[in-house]
Amino acid sequence: MNIRNITLKDKLLVILILISTAIPCIAQSGKQNYTRAYDLDFKMLPDSLRPYRWIENGAYALYTIPWGVKGPMRTLYARRYIKEIPIVDRLRTEFSHRILLPHDNLKEGVVGLECKGSGLKRVVLTLQAIDEEEKVVATGSFICKPDSVLKTYSTHINLTNASSLNIGINVLGEERKDAYIAFSKLEVTLDNKPIDDYPVRTLAPLRVEGGLNLIREDSNHCFDLAQIDGLRDKRIIGLGESLHGNSDVKSFVTRLIEASVKRHDCRLVLMEFPLGKSLFFNRYIQDDSFTMDSSLIPHPTVSALLNVLRTYNRGRADSDKVRLFGIDYTHQKTISMSSTLHLFDFIAALNKEQHIPEADRLAVMIMKDKLADAVNYLDKHRAEIAKLLSDDEMACFDFILKLNVQHQQTPSFERYAQRDSTMALCAKFLIDRCAKDKREKVFIYSHATHVNPVSTYPAVPCLPMGSYLREAYGDDYCPLLLVTEGGDAIATDITFGMKDAAINKAPANSLEYCLNASTDASVYLPMTPAFNRLIPTRFKGAYHVLQEFFPINVYQRFRGVFFVKHDEKNNVHIHQTSLEDGSKLAITNMKQRKQLLKEMEDRLKNVDNK
């Protein structure tokens, strides 16, 4: 069978079969050690005895498929690239890990990667020695080009004052050449002793001398930030949730923003939506006559927030209204998904009845990916397009189009890696435009990996959005962590569908366990130097995986923590979306856009023929 004729669904099913069959499941026995706990022998299987997993960089997820390659004693975990697969041009993959070192009195480490491969251009292994404050105290690296013979490639790293070790493995294949990389084991030696000679370190439960200084929610189950020391004078509040789609957290954020808006000290809300898509949301809260397609809303609590803001804005002057925009960036660029398609959809929705020719012509340019032309056309025909778009909407169109012109030739994996820096650009653009009065607060509601200014670990390694915002706004920017213990989270499962599933119970040494045991209500916990150490904290990203808790320094990343007490009454279950459902929706949207494009082109022909 010609691989070019295989459907996307067939390919995904093949990948799932490979995941389940390519690497044999090996029974586990014996006591726990570092190799097993951290999967240093690359078994790469869900296993409760291997609690700390390798993290794959999602930017490269489509470049390879899981595979099995014969080794001396067992089948080795591998990633394979087949040149017949469309879209991608070579093998690219990256894995990372953080190992808690046995203690912080070590002097030197040696790390060796045993692997083999074919069709490879290079493999880069990078090491970072990290202290308790998540600061890099030493680095090491090597570059090698493995062949079909299993070999070990090693390098040294200074471990003085190190508490943990970050490991990154980046693999690049030759262009358009069948390739694979097979991993056998990561050999780690600490002060001339194998790492398995040391007991596996676990972090102690959180205990604070004198107890926790908790600020309880008020009778309305909310907080007045103006009454909390350290928050009242902060202009830009970053609300970083540790998981997506939890109804308790989302309901809490709605109450928090609503309270601030009603006190007249918030005029701008930024959320983790694509900026283009958010134009629908902002138009909805600004314009009482605007009807929005409910399918655009990702979660019922988002609808609740939009209605709160719409009610507040009703009857107010434009200068007094609250604005809500997205700061996210669609890194994919396909016929069914890109950051400019929302612009086409927005014009199509607004121009149904007015049929403004200039708006139609702009939409056609956007749909046909003539983005540089669209930028020039928007600039020349602002007066006509202003009959359809507000000043804010035209500014957002201009920003998004220019951003996409800049990245038009940027590969998808680079766009993905630049997501946080682009989110920061979006946030700064919107803050500087819509929140010039420094007496008014701005809320930025996003995942905690983006909001904090220190590290994106355990997500895609890059500078987080919060780092750029701290550089731009200094102490005016205040990142806060939102955690809970209970309820559900929304993420992708192994079948590539979106699933609403119960979160894992917090371990006894975690931040969530400590706070849940300390209160019967939602609380705010200011950060003090007592928290200036690594503490297991939930960071659940885009996928449902076994490991949800990672060692991070909450004190360095955030100014405070909101713990949201679970209430089963808040637990809103959303509609599950399978891969098939998502594919059908994408196809339907493509067909609708094709039809709308034809209608616009027909109208423009009539105008041109007059």
Side-chain angles (χ1 to χ4, degrees):
M1 181 170 61
N2 188 337
I3 195 167
R4 296 182 186 275
N5 295 327
I6 298 176
T7 67
L8 174 62
K9 183 177 178 182
D10 291 335
K11 291 175 186 175
L12 291 172
L13 287 174
V14 169
I15 291 172
L16 291 176
I17 293 169
L18 289 169
I19 291 172
S20 61
T21 62
I23 296 122
C25 183
I26 299 175
Q28 305 294 333
S29 62
K31 68 178 184 178
Q32 187 68 293
N33 57 27
Y34 268 94
T35 294
R36 179 172 293 168
Y38 287 89
D39 200 22
L40 301 185
D41 52 356
F42 294 96
K43 297 297 175 59
M44 307 294 263
L45 292 167
D47 186 343
S48 60
L49 292 178
R50 295 171 180 265
Y52 311 118
R53 63 186 182 91
W54 288 93
I55 301 168
E56 182 181 7
N57 188 333
Y60 306 110
L62 297 178
Y63 281 79
T64 60
I65 56 176
W67 206 255
V69 172
K70 184 178 180 181
M73 304 293 292
R74 62 183 174 92
T75 300
L76 304 180
Y77 178 84
R79 303 295 295 201
R80 184 178 180 185
Y81 167 76
I82 304 171
K83 64 185 178 182
E84 284 81 6
I85 296 178
I87 304 174
V88 298
D89 64 345
R90 67 180 73 204
L91 183 149
R92 295 181 191 269
T93 192
E94 183 174 84
F95 291 90
S96 60
H97 217 331
R98 174 174 290 187
I99 298 174
L100 285 175
L101 297 173
H103 54 78
D104 58 5
N105 296 319
L106 297 166
K107 301 302 180 186
E108 186 184 54
V110 178
V111 178
L113 176 63
E114 186 177 61
C115 61
K116 67 176 183 176
S118 175
L120 301 178
K121 187 173 183 179
R122 54 127 179 97
V123 174
V124 180
L125 184 137
T126 56
L127 304 174
Q128 292 180 324
I130 307 293
D131 67 10
E132 283 285 313
E133 296 184 349
E134 288 197 274
K135 294 177 180 175
V136 178
V137 295
T139 61
S141 66
F142 67 69
I143 299 176
C144 62
K145 187 177 180 181
D147 54 26
S148 59
V149 178
L150 199 61
K151 295 178 185 176
T152 300
Y153 306 87
S154 303
T155 190
H156 294 248
I157 186 168
N158 186 339
L159 296 178
T160 303
N161 298 321
S163 176
S164 57
L165 183 64
N166 283 356
I167 301 162
I169 304 171
N170 182 281
V171 187
L172 181 68
E174 298 283 358
E175 186 174 2
R176 288 293 168 196
K177 187 173 182 180
D178 287 348
Y180 77 87
I181 176 70
F183 304 108
S184 175
K185 60 183 173 180
L186 194 80
E187 298 177 345
V188 182
T189 301
L190 307 174
D191 288 349
N192 298 315
K193 291 171 57 178
I195 194 170
D196 284 340
D197 286 359
Y198 296 88
V200 177
R201 178 186 170 199
T202 57
L203 295 171
L206 179 60
R207 292 187 178 89
V208 178
E209 187 175 345
L212 299 175
N213 178 26
L214 301 177
I215 300 173
R216 289 175 63 92
E217 63 186 355
D218 60 26
S219 58
N220 295 318
H221 303 292
C222 198
F223 294 84
D224 183 352
L225 300 189
Q227 301 303 314
I228 299 178
D229 290 341
L231 297 185
R232 67 170 59 92
D233 61 339
K234 299 302 182 185
R235 178 186 168 213
I236 304 168
I237 304 293
L239 299 174
E241 61 182 6
S242 62
L243 70 175
H244 282 317
N246 182 271
S247 298
D248 291 305
V249 172
K250 289 191 173 297
S251 297
F252 172 82
V253 169
T254 297
R255 295 194 301 272
L256 194 66
I257 293 174
E258 179 180 11
S260 186
V261 165
K262 288 182 175 179
R263 285 192 299 270
H264 309 290
D265 63 359
C266 171
R267 289 292 177 273
L268 179 63
V269 179
L270 304 179
M271 302 181 72
E272 195 177 324
F273 305 129
L275 175 54
K277 181 178 181 178
S278 74
L279 296 178
F280 286 94
F281 303 153
N282 188 61
R283 173 63 75 115
Y284 177 79
I285 68 172
Q286 303 288 328
D287 181 357
D288 253 357
S289 66
F290 181 68
T291 302
M292 182 173 62
D293 184 350
S294 60
S295 67
L296 291 169
I297 299 175
H299 196 277
T301 54
V302 175
S303 179
L305 175 60
L306 294 178
N307 286 323
V308 162
L309 299 181
R310 191 181 209 195
T311 299
Y312 177 85
N313 283 342
R314 189 171 290 134
R316 296 182 184 274
D318 285 347
S319 58
D320 293 331
K321 289 182 178 180
V322 180
R323 287 160 170 74
L324 182 145
F325 291 105
I327 54 170
D328 208 352
Y329 176 62
T330 305
H331 68 275
Q332 299 98 328
K333 190 172 177 61
T334 67
I335 58 173
S336 65
M337 188 180 299
S338 79
S339 60
T340 55
L341 286 178
H342 294 302
L343 302 183
F344 174 86
D345 295 341
F346 191 64
I347 291 178
L350 295 185
N351 207 29
K352 276 182 182 178
E353 297 179 2
Q354 295 188 59
H355 296 171
I356 298 171
E358 291 79 8
D360 278 345
R361 208 172 299 277
L362 177 64
V364 170
M365 290 178 183
I366 291 171
M367 193 63 177
K368 294 189 173 181
D369 208 32
K370 297 179 179 179
L371 303 185
D373 292 342
V375 170
N376 293 329
Y377 190 83
L378 177 62
D379 188 54
K380 291 178 181 178
H381 297 274
R382 286 184 178 274
E384 295 85 359
I385 295 172
K387 297 173 186 176
L388 192 73
L389 302 181
S390 69
D391 287 345
D392 284 343
E393 289 162 354
M394 280 201 290
C396 288
F397 264 68
D398 187 65
F399 177 84
I400 295 169
L401 289 171
K402 287 178 178 177
L403 185 65
N404 278 271
V405 169
Q406 180 183 340
H407 289 292
Q408 204 154 17
Q409 302 304 318
T410 304
S412 178
F413 74 91
E414 287 187 22
R415 290 161 68 99
Y416 191 100
Q418 295 169 12
R419 183 182 173 199
D420 271 75
S421 61
T422 307
M423 289 171 73
L425 281 176
C426 291
K428 190 173 186 306
F429 158 70
L430 293 163
I431 292 169
D432 294 348
R433 175 179 176 81
C434 303
K436 295 178 182 178
D437 189 340
K438 295 189 177 181
R439 296 169 298 177
E440 297 175 343
K441 290 190 185 300
V442 176
F443 283 99
I444 303 177
Y445 176 37
S446 183
H447 197 283
T449 53
H450 304 303
V451 164
N452 87 89
V454 174
S455 171
T456 55
Y457 171 82
V460 175
C462 63
L463 271 179
M465 173 183 69
S467 174
Y468 299 97
L469 296 180
R470 175 62 56 79
E471 181 180 358
Y473 300 106
D475 286 341
D476 272 352
Y477 178 66
C478 179
L480 304 174
L481 175 63
L482 304 175
V483 299
T484 190
E485 176 53 10
D488 295 353
I490 298 169
T492 304
D493 65 7
I494 194 171
T495 65
F496 298 95
M498 292 299 292
K499 184 178 179 181
D500 193 14
I503 60 177
N504 294 346
K505 288 191 175 296
N509 62 347
S510 68
L511 175 68
E512 285 82 352
Y513 183 94
C514 174
L515 291 173
N516 192 50
S518 302
T519 180
D520 59 356
S522 296
V523 295
Y524 175 71
L525 174 66
M527 285 292 96
T528 66
F531 298 92
N532 194 18
R533 64 179 183 85
L534 297 178
I535 301 169
T537 306
R538 180 181 278 111
F539 274 74
K540 187 175 178 66
Y543 295 91
H544 288 297
V545 295
L546 284 177
Q547 186 181 356
E548 291 187 6
F549 289 82
F550 298 84
I552 68 162
N553 189 305
V554 182
Y555 174 81
Q556 294 293 328
R557 293 194 183 199
F558 304 99
R559 290 292 177 260
V561 177
F562 280 113
F563 174 75
V564 184
K565 194 72 173 181
H566 174 57
D567 184 347
E568 191 60 33
K569 291 183 294 185
N570 283 331
N571 209 25
V572 180
H573 294 278
I574 69 162
H575 174 67
Q576 312 286 313
T577 304
S578 67
L579 173 62
E580 186 174 2
D581 291 339
S583 300
K584 287 179 179 178
L585 179 61
I587 292 170
T588 299
N589 288 339
M590 284 190 290
K591 288 180 178 178
Q592 288 176 346
R593 289 185 182 118
K594 186 176 180 180
Q595 177 60 34
L596 289 168
L597 177 64
K598 183 180 183 305
E599 291 173 5
M600 290 177 181
E601 289 178 324
D602 288 344
R603 290 200 296 265
L604 290 172
K605 284 180 183 177
N606 291 333
V607 170
D608 293 340
N609 290 333
K610 285 182 180 179

